[in-house]
Amino acid sequence: MSVNLSVFLVIFGCALVTFLPRVLPFILVRNYKMPAALSKWLSFIPVCIFTALIVNSFLVKEGNTVNVDWTVVAAIIPALLAAIYKKNLSLTVIVGIISMAVVRFFA
Amino acid sequence: MNEFIEKKPGENEATGTFIGGIKDAVPTMIGYISIGIAAGVVGAASNLSVLEVGLLSLMVYAGAAQFIICALLAAGSPPYAIIFTTFIVNLRLFLLNMALAPSFSRYTLFRNIRLGALVTDETFGVASGKLLAKEQISDRWMSGLNIAAYISWVLACMAGAAFEKWIANPQVLGLDFALTAMFVALLVLQIQNGQTGKLKLYLTLVIMVVLSMFVLCAFFPSYIAIILSTVVVATFGVLMDR
């Protein structure tokens, strides 16, 4: 149980550059009336970012070619159906974990 | 509770109280415990002590970035390269919080900083899902959501690091898929609760992001592809939504 000084400094630096983008919007947005176009743009950010994060989970990069990890895609389908029809976050997460385990068992 | 008592906005049980926030954090916590253990195992395997893994998750508190930091530390990368990479990876949080911050501008600056410091992809998703469903969210609810997620992440990371030698490959159980499943649920929530009549637009944006990720991932590291795809496609969204 020890903390190396240079490791600590790296962690501290990383903490700082993570804290700033997290907190700055909460400081900037006060006393600032957002233009309609900007708030519309921001309203599309969640859909885009979540899609990008999902796609990122099934893309595998080998050299300069991008391949699809079909086991992940196969596990996404039951999770997607659970999300659409049950509208329940916890249930979707559990269905996803079980689907991935089942897919890996047979793959 | 007397249903005739007039409630102030944001004062209802579900989205007004700290406990309500903790309850809404449950799916996030399932994901964080699964991935946190994996992140702790990776940290210990990168020669970090349990305490260092604890500090990393306590101070940085960002899943994807932590995996990258561990990999770069293990590879002996220079500190400035690790810190700069972390900055780029986490820039995405700026976009998310720009969308979330206006809902909390009625609170004090200090409280805003405290709330903003603990927002993640997942807690953002849960909160913006509530906002899209036209529910008022309060600072106490957001704190409950944030802190429950934060504690489960830090403890899971430390447990993963402490029990590294006894934990079999976490991939076998499918636990590493927890956050992807969570993103799927959050995406569906966004689309279902979004403005009516915009389904076609949202699905167009989804397809555009998928295509742009395939193209951009060939040229850039994935965390840059994520930010670029998001920024470009959201701009198309504004142009198409007339």
Side-chain angles (χ1 to χ4, degrees):
Chain A
M1 284 288 257
S2 64
V3 178
N4 178 297
L5 180 65
S6 64
V7 170
F8 178 78
L9 290 176
V10 168
I11 293 174
F12 184 80
C14 292
L16 199 66
V17 298
T18 306
F19 178 79
L20 289 177
R22 264 189 178 135
V23 163
L24 274 180
F26 281 81
I27 297 171
L28 296 177
V29 163
R30 305 170 61 76
N31 315 318
Y32 170 69
K33 185 80 182 73
M34 246 189 248
L38 178 60
S39 62
K40 176 166 270 183
W41 185 77
L42 288 171
S43 77
F44 294 127
I45 295 292
V47 166
C48 296
I49 247 177
F50 290 132
T51 306
L53 289 167
I54 295 164
V55 174
N56 183 49
S57 73
F58 62 72
L59 289 187
V60 190
K61 203 171 166 175
E62 283 154 19
N64 271 333
T65 54
V66 177
N67 292 319
V68 174
D69 182 344
W70 291 104
T71 61
V72 176
V73 177
I76 284 175
I77 293 164
L80 188 60
L81 294 175
I84 292 171
Y85 293 107
K86 294 294 179 189
K87 302 182 183 189
N88 180 322
L89 287 183
S90 293
L91 184 84
T92 307
V93 171
I94 292 164
V95 167
I97 290 172
I98 294 170
S99 314
M100 191 76 246
V102 170
V103 169
R104 288 211 176 109
F105 184 77
F106 290 106
Chain B
M1 272 296 240
N2 185 334
E3 58 181 306
F4 294 105
I5 293 174
E6 200 189 338
K7 289 171 187 162
K8 284 180 239 155
E11 296 289 310
N12 67 58
E13 164 77 41
T15 49
T17 66
F18 191 82
I19 297 292
I22 295 176
K23 283 181 190 161
D24 282 323
V26 170
T28 306
M29 290 165 77
I30 299 173
Y32 282 11
I33 290 167
S34 314
I35 305 296
I37 290 173
V41 169
V42 169
S46 313
N47 290 320
L48 293 185
S49 69
V50 176
L51 203 58
E52 285 167 341
V53 169
L55 279 175
L56 183 63
S57 43
L58 202 66
M59 291 171 67
V60 179
Y61 184 42
Q66 284 181 220
F67 280 100
I68 293 168
I69 292 167
C70 291
L72 293 177
L73 277 173
S77 308
Y80 70 86
I82 303 176
I83 293 168
F84 183 71
T85 307
T86 304
F87 177 67
I88 301 294
V89 172
N90 288 334
L91 260 188
R92 157 190 105 256
L93 297 167
F94 184 83
L95 295 180
L96 294 182
N97 285 1
M98 279 294 282
L100 188 60
S103 310
F104 294 98
S105 56
R106 64 185 185 278
Y107 298 111
T108 63
L109 179 65
F110 177 70
R111 195 162 290 194
N112 268 274
I113 290 173
R114 235 179 43 190
L115 289 173
L118 292 183
V119 174
T120 62
D121 296 314
E122 293 76 16
T123 62
F124 165 82
V126 174
S128 75
K130 296 281 181 192
L131 289 173
L132 280 175
K134 299 283 176 261
E135 289 182 58
Q136 272 269 356
I137 53 179
S138 74
D139 59 335
R140 279 162 297 161
W141 177 83
M142 194 69 212
S143 286
L145 174 67
N146 275 345
I147 290 170
Y150 185 48
I151 291 174
S152 57
W153 175 254
V154 174
L155 292 182
C157 285
M158 292 186 77
F163 299 112
E164 185 222 352
K165 289 172 189 67
W166 291 279
I167 294 172
N169 184 357
Q171 286 209 340
V172 177
L173 295 170
L175 289 175
D176 57 315
F177 187 70
L179 289 188
T180 301
M182 178 100 186
F183 294 142
V184 169
L186 291 172
L187 175 64
V188 170
L189 188 75
Q190 287 287 333
I191 293 174
Q192 283 177 336
N193 289 340
Q195 288 160 277
T196 45
K198 294 242 169 112
L199 182 65
K200 220 170 161 180
L201 175 65
Y202 284 132
L203 294 180
T204 309
L205 297 182
V206 166
I207 292 166
M208 288 174 77
V209 172
V210 173
L211 295 177
S212 95
M213 281 295 287
F214 269 90
V215 174
L216 292 174
C217 278
F219 302 100
F220 300 103
S222 61
Y223 46 88
I224 292 176
I226 292 169
I227 299 173
L228 279 180
S229 304
T230 301
V231 166
V232 170
V233 176
T235 308
F236 272 105
V238 176
L239 297 175
M240 290 188 294
D241 186 28
R242 298 250 175 210

